[in-house]
Amino acid sequence: MSLVDKETSERSQNLWLLVVAGGLSLFIAMGVGRFAYTPILPWMQAQTHFSNAVAGFLASSNYLGYLVGAFLAGSVPWIRRQRQLTFRWSLLLCILTTGAMALTSDVWVWYALRWLSGISSGLVFVLVSSIVLDELARHHRSTLSGMFYGGVGLGIAVTGLLVPAIGHPFGWRGTWLAMMILSVVLGIPATLGIWSSDTRVQSQPSLSTPIVHGPDRMFWWLTVAYGCEGLGYIITGTFLVAMVAKMPGLQGMAPYTWVLAGVAALPSCILWSTCARRFGEVRILVTAYLVQTVGVLLPVVSPTALGGYVGAVLFGGTFMGITTLATMLGRKLRSNDSSKAIGLMTGVYGIGQIVGAGGAGLLAGPSGGFRVPTLVASGVLFVSAICLIVGRLVKGAKEANAA
C-alpha cells in the first residue's frame, strides 16, 4: 500500500470513528438525557401522582436548560475554542443528572436536575454537531451526517424497549439508574472517539461549502421555521406515550409507540438527506414538515391502535430528519461560524420547546387531555412549512433582482 493510500485509509477510519462516537454522544445526550423522560413519565406519574401540569413544567425546565446550553455553545468564545473539552464535561453532567433523578421525589429538585440535564444536552448537541459536521465537510463526506444524527433515533428505540422491561420490576427509580449505567457504558467510547479524532477548530471556513457574506434572509426564515418545529414537535415528543396510554385498550402497548418512533427515526436522517440532495433542501424540508403535521394529528383524529402506531412512525420518521436538514442548511448558509449558527438555531428551537411543553401541560388540565395542545401543535408545524416556502420565494426574488 502506498503512502497516499495509507493516509487515505487512516482518514476514512478516523471519520468513521468520529461519526460513531458522535452518534453515541447523541444517543446519550438526546436519546437518554432528553427523551428517556417520555417513556418513564407514565411510571413516574402512576407512582408519585403528580399532575399533567407538573409533567409539562418538568419537560419545560429541561428545554429551558437546553436553550441555555445551546446559546452558551454558540455565543461564548471560550466554549467555541475549547469544543472538545466542554463536550466531555457536558456529557459527564448529562450522565450524572440522569442517575440523580432516582435519588429524590422532590419536584423542585427534579426541576433543577432536568434543567442541568438540558444545559448539558444543548451543549453536547451543538458542540458535537459542529465538530462532526465541520470535519465531514472538510473531507467532502457530509453524506455521513445522516448516520451521525441516527444516534438519536437509536437512543429513543433502545430506551423505549428498556424502560418497560426495567420499570415493571424496579419502578421509575430503577429505570433512571439503569439509564445512567447505560450512558456510562456508551460514554466511554463516545468520549474517546471524539477526543482521539484529528478534529481541530477551524479558523477558516470549510472549502466544501459556500460562504454567505452579509445578511441572508433564508437563514432567518429557516431559523423561525426551526423554532416553530421545536414548539410543534415537542408536545408529541414529550407526551406521546402518556396520550396513547389513555386510549381504550392500548395502555399496555403505549411504551412501544415510542419504540416505533425511535425505529422510524433511525434511517430517517439518511433518507431525508438523500432526498434533499436530489430534490433540494428547502423542498424536502417542507415535505418533512407536512408529513410530521399528519403524524402529530393522527393519534388525535384517530384514537385507535392504527392511528397511534402510524402517527408514531410518521413523527419518528421526520423529527430528526428535520433536525438533520435544518442544521446542515444552517451551517451551509453560515459556514464561516458553524457553532454560532447551529447554536442560534438550536436556541430558538429550545424556546419553542419550552413554550410547547409547558403550554401543553397547562392546556391538558382544563381540556381533559392532549387533544387541544396537539391540534395547536399541528397548526404550528404547518406554519413552519409556510415560513420555508416564503423564505425560498423571497430569496429567489432577491437573486432575480440581483441578476
Side-chain angles (χ1 to χ4, degrees):
M1 180 183 292
S2 68
L3 182 60
V4 173
D5 290 338
K6 184 177 180 181
E7 289 178 352
T8 301
S9 176
E10 288 179 354
R11 275 200 305 270
S12 179
Q13 290 176 1
N14 284 338
L15 283 177
W16 278 105
L17 174 63
L18 187 66
V19 169
V20 171
L24 291 177
S25 302
L26 294 184
F27 183 113
I28 297 166
M30 309 294 286
V32 176
R34 283 187 63 206
F35 290 120
Y37 175 74
T38 300
I40 297 176
L41 175 59
W43 296 92
M44 295 178 70
Q45 282 190 292
Q47 295 171 21
T48 61
H49 309 291
F50 59 82
S51 66
N52 285 331
V54 171
F57 289 140
L58 279 170
S60 287
S61 65
N62 182 255
Y63 306 142
L64 175 60
Y66 187 77
L67 169 66
V68 172
F71 276 134
L72 287 174
S75 60
V76 177
W78 183 88
I79 290 177
R80 286 151 64 190
R81 287 195 302 269
Q82 300 291 334
R83 294 190 297 185
Q84 292 183 357
L85 180 63
T86 308
F87 154 77
R88 295 178 79 190
W89 284 105
S90 299
L91 194 66
L92 177 61
L93 178 62
C94 184
I95 294 171
L96 293 177
T97 51
T98 296
M101 286 292 291
L103 304 181
T104 180
S105 57
D106 187 305
V107 171
W108 290 101
V109 177
W110 280 345
Y111 285 144
L113 289 172
R114 294 305 291 158
W115 180 69
L116 290 171
S117 178
I119 291 176
S120 63
S121 294
L123 284 166
V124 169
F125 180 82
V126 173
L127 294 174
V128 80
S129 292
S130 64
I131 289 171
V132 173
L133 294 182
D134 282 355
E135 194 71 1
L136 291 179
R138 192 162 71 90
H139 290 90
H140 309 282
R141 299 292 299 275
S142 293
T143 53
L144 295 178
S145 60
M147 299 189 66
F148 159 60
Y149 282 116
V152 180
L154 181 62
I156 290 173
V158 171
T159 56
L161 284 169
L162 290 178
V163 165
I166 299 169
H168 280 292
F170 299 108
W172 64 270
R173 292 183 189 271
T175 305
W176 280 115
L177 288 174
M179 294 299 103
M180 182 188 71
I181 294 170
L182 174 64
S183 298
V184 169
V185 172
L186 297 179
I188 295 171
T191 303
L192 293 176
I194 296 293
W195 189 257
S196 64
S197 75
D198 62 351
T199 303
R200 298 290 183 268
V201 177
Q202 301 298 311
S203 58
Q204 299 296 325
S206 167
L207 297 178
S208 62
T209 52
I211 301 172
V212 179
H213 296 286
D216 185 277
R217 294 179 182 179
M218 187 63 218
F219 176 78
W220 296 111
W221 283 106
L222 172 67
T223 302
V224 171
Y226 198 50
C228 290
E229 163 70 5
L231 193 157
Y233 102 95
I234 201 58
I235 296 174
T236 299
T238 302
F239 300 110
L240 175 64
V241 177
M243 282 192 290
V244 176
K246 293 180 181 178
M247 294 179 184
L250 296 182
Q251 290 82 355
M253 298 302 293
Y256 299 106
T257 57
W258 193 238
V259 177
L260 277 176
V263 170
L266 268 172
S268 67
C269 301
I270 298 174
L271 174 64
W272 288 109
S273 58
T274 301
C275 291
R277 287 195 302 275
R278 182 170 181 179
F279 300 106
E281 292 151 324
V282 176
R283 182 180 300 175
I284 296 303
L285 257 177
V286 170
T287 303
Y289 274 119
L290 294 177
V291 171
Q292 188 176 99
T293 302
V294 175
V296 166
L297 271 176
L298 265 179
V300 172
V301 299
S302 178
T304 62
L306 181 62
Y309 293 153
V310 174
V313 170
L314 294 181
F315 169 77
T318 52
F319 84 96
M320 278 313 301
I322 289 172
T323 292
T324 302
L325 295 180
T327 52
M328 286 178 64
L329 181 56
R331 187 199 171 280
K332 184 177 180 180
L333 294 170
R334 288 289 185 273
S335 58
N336 55 321
D337 196 341
S338 60
S339 291
K340 186 174 182 179
I342 296 173
L344 175 61
M345 291 176 61
T346 305
V348 174
Y349 184 82
I351 293 173
Q353 290 180 123
I354 295 165
V355 174
L362 289 174
L363 286 174
S367 66
F370 293 98
R371 181 181 179 84
V372 172
T374 303
L375 291 173
V376 173
S378 63
V380 172
L381 289 171
F382 185 75
V383 170
S384 299
I386 298 300
C387 285
L388 287 171
I389 292 171
V390 172
R392 187 66 187 90
L393 290 174
V394 169
K395 181 179 175 64
K398 183 179 177 181
E399 290 173 349
N401 291 333

